Amino acid sequence: MASRAINLKRARILVTNDDGINAPGLKVLVKLAKTLSDDVWVVAPESEQSATSHSLTLRRPLRERRLGPKRFSVDGTPTDCVLVAHHRILADRLPDLVLSGINDGGNLAEDVTYSGTIAATMEAALLGIPAIAFSQRRGEDGIARWKVPEAFLPDIVRRLVKMRWTKDLLVNVNFPAVAPEDVTGIEVCRQGRRDEGTTVNETFDPSGRRFLWIGGYQVDTSEERDSDLAVTAKGGISVTPLHLDLTHRASMKSLREVFG
């Protein structure tokens, strides 16, 4: 079942993230969302929730805090925020579109499985709301800069909302770490896979006691040439459609033969 195209001028937009209510990327996204619609609401985690994936808070109560007009924080995960917005804060009129981010750092390849930024859009998709996740790759100095999304994000949203969204669809957008004038284009591409995965590092505290630290990816390189990693590495903006149905249909025949 496909949704209708969204009229941005009349749309209610929910903005959330996983870096927290005070994150610079959220501030940029809210500013840009307000150029698209006059009805922009913010419901974001009270503190950073990076790599929380699609987790829910089930073993303790949640507290929402009104920080200003159409601006709330929730002491939970990005998924919690979308649910609280949907069932409580915006229950009188549900959002037409959910925008998540802008994440400080890319959400590429395997990141999709860990990302709270993307998890927020997953929850929106489960609720039947079109949703887009935005992330900004960091430069070689480890700093994310926002000039590329400022230049390109509103137009990307305008294009995407013209599309008819099928059930359980969400879109993952990553901006490259280049100057706006150096962006090579906007490319629709698939989710990639890094040549090397997550590392676990052994180190020592000042007292000489050993501890382990789950680190980032050692490299952002991949042999693939048609993926989100490749597109952003060469200076392009990657647009990747993701889907909530994880069924590997190509294996179903073999499995039926095994269990037949």
Side-chain angles (χ1 to χ4, degrees):
M1 181 178 179
S3 66
R4 294 178 298 173
I6 300 168
N7 183 345
L8 279 176
K9 292 182 179 179
R10 300 179 180 178
R12 171 167 282 190
I13 298 177
L14 169 63
V15 178
T16 189
N17 73 347
D18 75 351
D19 286 331
I21 189 68
N22 296 312
L26 181 71
K27 182 178 180 180
V28 174
L29 183 54
V30 171
K31 179 183 71 173
L32 298 175
K34 287 181 177 179
T35 68
L36 302 170
S37 171
D38 293 328
D39 193 14
V40 176
W41 292 73
V42 180
V43 183
E46 188 172 88
S47 59
E48 184 179 348
Q49 297 290 316
S50 296
T52 54
S53 189
H54 199 186
S55 59
L56 289 167
T57 301
L58 299 178
R59 299 291 183 248
R60 66 170 178 83
L62 291 172
R63 188 177 299 277
E64 66 182 68
R65 292 179 174 83
R66 184 185 182 96
L67 304 177
K70 300 183 180 182
R71 183 176 175 84
F72 295 79
S73 68
V74 176
D75 62 340
T77 68
T79 302
D80 295 333
C81 291
V82 174
L83 285 170
V84 170
H86 184 273
H87 292 291
R88 302 292 299 177
I89 297 171
L90 302 180
D92 63 321
R93 183 192 160 195
L94 298 179
D96 302 292
L97 177 67
V98 172
L99 305 179
S100 183
I102 303 167
N103 192 67
D104 184 344
N107 275 309
L108 302 153
E110 302 97 319
D111 300 341
V112 168
T113 65
Y114 304 113
S115 169
T117 304
I118 293 174
T121 62
M122 288 180 175
E123 191 61 32
L126 285 172
L127 295 168
I129 306 169
I132 311 168
F134 295 101
S135 302
Q136 172 62 58
R137 289 190 69 163
R138 301 186 183 105
E140 292 183 1
D141 57 3
I143 297 175
R145 295 174 173 84
W146 314 107
K147 294 298 184 183
V148 173
E150 286 175 342
F152 290 91
L153 189 150
D155 183 58
I156 289 172
V157 175
R158 292 188 187 99
R159 294 190 191 196
L160 287 174
V161 299
K162 293 179 181 178
M163 177 178 69
R164 291 192 176 273
W165 292 67
T166 57
K167 182 180 179 182
D168 294 343
L169 172 70
L170 52 128
V171 176
N172 183 30
V173 177
N174 279 273
F175 299 104
V178 299
E181 60 270 22
D182 294 327
V183 171
T184 59
I186 302 171
E187 297 188 40
V188 176
C189 59
R190 64 182 180 85
Q191 177 188 348
R193 190 71 175 264
R194 289 178 176 85
D195 293 335
E196 296 183 36
T198 307
T199 60
V200 179
N201 302 312
E202 178 181 344
T203 187
F204 297 87
D205 68 16
S207 299
R209 292 173 296 185
R210 184 179 70 93
F211 66 88
L212 302 177
W213 194 291
I214 296 178
Y217 293 97
Q218 290 181 324
V219 294
D220 244 358
T221 59
S222 172
E223 293 182 0
E224 302 164 340
R225 295 292 174 261
D226 58 347
S227 70
D228 50 9
L229 285 165
V231 168
T232 55
K234 68 180 183 182
I237 298 170
S238 67
V239 178
T240 304
L242 302 175
H243 197 256
L244 293 179
D245 185 353
L246 301 180
T247 306
H248 189 242
R249 300 185 188 281
S251 298
M252 293 184 71
K253 181 179 179 181
S254 297
L255 283 168
R256 286 174 179 143
E257 291 174 353
V258 169
F259 291 101

